[in-house]
Amino acid sequence: MVSTRWRKILIEVSRHLSRLVFAFAITAVLVQFPFDYIESFLYDVRVRLRPAPKPSGHVETIVIDDFTVKTLGRVPNAIEFKKLIDRLGSVSAHTIVSLVSPVETVGSLDETRALAATAASNEKFVVALDDVPLGGEQDALKLSPPFDKVRVASAPVPVDRNIFARDDVTRRMMLAYQGLPTLHPMTASQFNKDIDATFKAKGGYSASAFQGVFEYLKSDQAYIQYAPTGTYKPTSYTAVLNDDTVLEKFRGKIVVIGRDIQTTSKDYVRTPYSREIVAMTIVELNANMFDTLIRNAAPIQAPPWLNQLITGLISYLTVLVVLTLKPTSGLLILLSTIIGYFTVALVAFSAGDYWVDAAHPFLTVFICYYFFIPYRLIIENRRSWEYYQKNKLLTQVEELKTNFLSMMSHDLKTPIARIQGMADVVRSDPNPLSSRQTEAVDTLRRSSDELLEFVSGVLNLGRIESKAIQLHLTSKDVNELVREVVNKLDYLARSKHIEIRTELDTLFSIKFDVDLMRQVFSNLVENAIKYSPENTSILVTSEERDGWVTVQVSDQGPGIPKDELPHIFMKFYRSRNAKGSTIKGSGLGLYLAKYFVELHKGRIQVDSNLGQGTTFTVELPTA
Ligand code: ADP
């Protein structure tokens, strides 16, 4: 006993273990493939669905826009550039970051020199270059004379061109290359006390001051926490020149200057929000970079072990669902797992800047699903084949049984009729019989009647099973048939001192098979007499209502237990009480009655209260 229990537990445990091993094996193979494109796509979806981050308020942008070009009739020249720097200097902008190189600015030699002098003397002014100096080669990042004294800083724009998603989208920023920080972390540290404190403690730039920084090819990188395009409203270059705008708004701010005139794709990037070539200006991108660091809110990537664990668990769940649940509920569960997991990932991303892998968990669902569905199909197929074979055998046995019974019953009918005939001959013989002889002949006659009834039942069953029964409809008053049946069975009732009362409403004739319905009513009244105790009464009623003729047979017999009610119309069913008593029966009567009534498109029902009586209701359609 104990050993079989343990064996069962052992089998169950090993089954789960093998599923677990399968699931984690699939995971182990799957994580070898990076799926960067899909992961980045799902990352972008999260960026779009997340509530947009609020700007820190420390960054302002100025653009050479279509309005500037239209007003000046050209792009701003050296004189105008100098004027812009002077104006921003006059309101003490914190840092003036120019994405436009003064080298490219048009002007006479004097004008250019004047611009160079202003730019070099303004210590807030810095030209941002999309370049990184190699270690120890910082001077390589110098503008050509006369701008060689102007401060420059590297502010590269990494694009996922040949790496990661390879979809030309800018998602990352560079904080340092070979240990040398770029413009952004150094500037941002002056707006965030914690970062500043860490820098001071470490004696300069340190990646540990920022959240979400990761190392990639000798550089420190972080994902940009984007706000949608248009979040940073730019001020037009001309507006600043003409003082059309409140200069004061640039006081103490990081001011980024750039272009937005759609002359070159270099002035724009594609973002997680949009894959268009001009999705966002480099100016606004820089504003996003500064703010990501000032807020210190770069998305943090979950460690690989956590991603692998999640993928493994989802693989296991998929295997479990595919192997044990029904296909539709399995699909529903998998679908809700995918949706549920993505919702959790989205919440983690929105609320905690936490980025968990979504590509691997999703792909593992599909892979495990397609891997295990054929396996499941093979098992199911084998099972249904076994069922089919068993069913076939059962049907054959059933057929054999019915054929045998019909054959036998048919052959029994003639000898029974002969016995009945002989009994009648002896009973009507003019020579008087002794009382014992009379009793013997009467018993002979009664027993042969019972036998004949049983044989007819079995024969009818055979006819039903071979679908040989056909309705012979004739138009007749149902009451007439009911009266005939009651009269015929009255002698039987009298022998038990049972009174059969009738309450028959006047009915129109309807079409029905008289022979079959006679058997139905006879069976119901006979049962009522058979199962009722002596000195009780039986009530037979009829009425017509709402297109149905209803005949009810109620008795004051023992009733039928509730748990047996659903079975009494079944083939060969006899209740426990009937089986235990001397009351004879085949258990076929009600089965045949139900079959015959339903052949007429009618209904038969039973109501019974234990110890109080039983009522059978037969309804036949009038049309
Ligand atoms: P049987 O030949 O046993 O009467 P039936 O198919 O006519 O077979 O009835 C099935 C079972 O339903 C009976 O064995 C009996 O237990 C129960 N039954 C039928 N009619 C009555 C009734 N009027 N009162 C109590 N039990 C009944």
Side-chain angles (χ1 to χ4, degrees):
M1 192 65 196
V2 174
S3 75
T4 51
R5 222 188 91 205
W6 277 109
R7 240 188 48 205
K8 261 188 196 160
I9 293 176
L10 219 71
I11 289 173
E12 197 57 23
V13 167
S14 61
R15 187 178 291 162
H16 277 279
L17 264 178
S18 61
R19 285 173 192 166
L20 211 69
V21 168
F22 257 123
F24 277 87
I26 287 179
T27 306
V29 174
L30 205 65
V31 295
Q32 302 307 316
F33 300 90
F35 299 124
D36 281 328
Y37 184 80
I38 303 173
E39 186 55 47
S40 301
F41 174 79
L42 293 169
Y43 173 85
D44 295 353
V45 174
R46 274 172 274 189
V47 171
R48 283 176 223 165
L49 294 179
R50 173 195 63 187
K54 294 229 156 33
S56 68
H58 296 306
V59 188
E60 284 292 337
T61 57
I62 295 174
V63 290
I64 299 170
D65 54 3
D66 291 338
F67 179 67
T68 307
V69 175
K70 216 166 124 195
T71 333
L72 297 175
R74 53 176 166 73
V75 289
N77 61 20
I79 303 172
E80 281 131 12
F81 201 173
K82 178 179 176 314
K83 197 171 162 193
L84 185 84
I85 298 170
D86 282 338
R87 279 180 174 271
L88 291 173
S90 74
V91 288
S92 307
H94 181 277
T95 309
I96 306 164
V97 181
S98 180
L99 303 172
V100 183
S101 172
V103 179
E104 298 162 10
T105 318
V106 181
S108 68
L109 197 59
D110 286 345
E111 288 164 355
T112 312
R113 282 199 182 130
L115 170 61
T118 303
S121 65
N122 189 333
E123 62 198 28
K124 310 282 184 186
F125 185 79
V126 59
V127 176
L129 300 178
D130 182 12
D131 209 348
V132 283
L134 291 174
E137 227 194 351
Q138 285 177 62
D139 285 352
L141 284 194
K142 237 183 189 181
L143 299 179
S144 51
F147 296 101
D148 47 344
K149 296 270 175 344
V150 175
R151 281 207 310 145
V152 292
S154 84
V157 177
V159 179
D160 285 353
R161 191 155 293 140
N162 303 312
I163 50 168
F164 297 121
R166 296 165 198 263
D167 56 3
D168 289 355
V169 171
T170 295
R171 297 186 178 85
R172 299 162 289 128
M173 62 188 289
M174 204 182 278
L175 279 73
Y177 183 72
Q178 295 196 335
L180 293 176
T182 58
L183 173 67
H184 299 97
M186 298 319 288
T187 314
S189 72
Q190 294 166 46
F191 289 90
N192 183 315
K193 280 197 216 86
D194 297 335
I195 297 171
D196 195 39
T198 314
F199 277 13
K200 287 212 169 96
K202 301 262 177 186
Y205 164 81
S206 163
S208 63
F210 297 98
Q211 102 171 12
V213 175
F214 61 99
E215 248 190 78
Y216 182 74
L217 298 178
K218 297 183 192 165
S219 65
D220 292 342
Q221 303 206 357
Y223 277 79
I224 302 165
Q225 199 197 43
Y226 269 103
T229 303
T231 304
Y232 298 89
K233 295 259 165 328
T235 308
S236 173
Y237 201 101
T238 4
V240 183
L241 287 183
N242 300 339
D243 214 0
D244 280 352
T245 175
V246 195
L247 264 180
E248 273 305 313
K249 75 176 176 192
F250 299 112
R251 186 176 293 279
K253 301 282 172 69
I254 302 170
V255 184
V256 187
I257 304 164
R259 271 182 298 260
D260 183 13
I261 40 176
Q262 303 202 352
T263 48
T264 161
S265 63
K266 281 188 193 146
D267 289 339
Y268 300 89
V269 284
R270 298 170 208 246
T271 68
Y273 284 100
S274 163
R275 303 280 165 107
E276 263 187 67
I277 296 181
V278 293
M280 184 181 272
T281 59
I282 300 275
V283 181
E284 191 164 5
L285 169 73
N286 272 279
N288 274 291
M289 289 174 171
F290 280 121
D291 265 358
T292 301
L293 298 184
I294 292 171
R295 288 190 302 256
N296 201 0
I300 309 159
Q301 291 181 71
W305 68 264
L306 181 63
N307 286 331
Q308 285 161 18
L309 184 72
I310 292 172
T311 309
L313 289 179
I314 291 190
S315 302
Y316 179 63
L317 180 80
T318 312
V319 172
L320 207 70
V321 163
V322 173
L323 289 187
T324 54
L325 290 187
K326 276 196 205 135
T328 32
S329 43
L331 264 180
L332 274 179
I333 288 189
L334 290 184
L335 216 69
S336 26
T337 307
I338 290 182
I339 294 171
Y341 178 67
F342 193 71
T343 313
V344 171
L346 182 63
V347 170
F349 191 71
S350 317
D353 302 321
Y354 206 70
W355 172 17
V356 283
D357 201 347
H360 287 100
F362 285 4
L363 287 171
T364 200
V365 170
F366 291 111
I367 290 177
C368 288
Y369 191 79
Y370 282 105
F371 214 92
F372 280 93
I373 277 289
Y375 177 66
R376 164 100 187 240
L377 280 181
I378 291 169
I379 295 177
E380 303 252 299
N381 225 6
R382 205 178 52 206
R383 215 174 281 162
S384 62
W385 172 249
E386 278 167 13
Y387 278 140
Y388 171 75
Q389 290 297 336
K390 225 181 261 175
N391 218 11
K392 214 166 113 184
L393 201 73
L394 279 179
T395 321
Q396 280 172 355
V397 170
E398 184 79 357
E399 250 171 43
L400 275 176
K401 198 181 76 190
T402 322
N403 284 350
F404 171 74
L405 281 176
S406 311
M407 232 165 58
M408 203 185 67
S409 318
H410 199 261
D411 290 349
L412 277 178
K413 256 186 142 175
T414 327
I416 294 170
R418 220 175 283 144
I419 293 171
Q420 282 178 332
M422 288 304 130
D424 288 347
V425 168
V426 176
R427 193 74 164 87
S428 54
D429 197 278
N431 295 326
L433 300 173
S434 72
S435 65
R436 270 195 69 197
Q437 282 171 327
T438 315
E439 199 183 321
V441 173
D442 282 350
T443 310
L444 208 62
R445 176 71 218 208
R446 246 195 336 271
S447 300
S448 55
D449 277 350
E450 275 168 19
L451 196 57
L452 190 65
E453 202 172 300
F454 180 74
V455 165
S456 314
V458 174
L459 269 177
N460 271 331
L461 181 70
R463 282 166 65 204
I464 287 178
E465 238 118 85
S466 57
K467 309 225 171 351
I469 289 197
Q470 282 189 343
L471 283 179
H472 300 288
L473 299 178
T474 36
S475 200
K476 192 175 165 96
D477 182 352
V478 173
N479 284 341
E480 238 174 74
L481 182 64
V482 171
R483 272 191 214 103
E484 178 198 317
V485 168
V486 169
N487 285 339
K488 203 177 141 212
L489 292 173
D490 202 38
Y491 85 97
L492 191 67
R494 256 180 238 273
S495 70
K496 283 183 81 176
H497 307 289
I498 291 174
E499 182 198 0
I500 307 181
R501 292 185 296 121
T502 50
E503 286 173 14
L504 307 179
D505 275 7
T506 316
L507 302 175
F508 287 112
S509 294
I510 60 166
K511 281 193 167 170
F512 60 94
D513 187 311
V514 179
D515 280 339
L516 295 188
M517 288 315 293
R518 181 183 292 116
Q519 286 190 52
V520 173
F521 295 137
S522 297
N523 179 255
L524 296 182
V525 178
E526 239 173 60
N527 275 352
I529 300 169
K530 217 160 61 167
Y531 294 105
S532 293
E534 294 192 351
N535 298 312
T536 53
S537 70
I538 295 168
L539 177 64
V540 184
T541 64
S542 73
E543 62 170 348
E544 186 192 322
R545 206 193 307 147
D546 304 331
W548 296 90
V549 166
T550 308
V551 175
Q552 286 192 317
V553 180
S554 312
D555 62 43
Q556 298 170 335
I560 302 166
K562 278 239 148 25
D563 62 318
E564 296 202 56
L565 279 179
H567 309 299
I568 57 165
F569 293 105
M570 277 162 49
K571 213 190 305 185
F572 295 116
Y573 186 84
R574 301 207 66 208
S575 75
R576 287 188 295 271
N577 287 344
K579 273 194 280 191
S581 74
T582 52
I583 304 168
K584 294 197 181 58
S586 61
L588 276 176
L590 287 180
Y591 171 76
L592 294 174
K594 184 170 157 62
Y595 189 90
F596 293 158
V597 169
E598 284 176 357
L599 220 52
H600 285 83
K601 304 220 173 349
R603 306 183 285 230
I604 183 165
Q605 298 175 79
V606 60
D607 278 305
S608 187
N609 284 324
L610 208 58
Q612 291 178 19
T614 308
T615 300
F616 282 92
T617 307
V618 173
E619 292 172 294
L620 293 177
T622 50

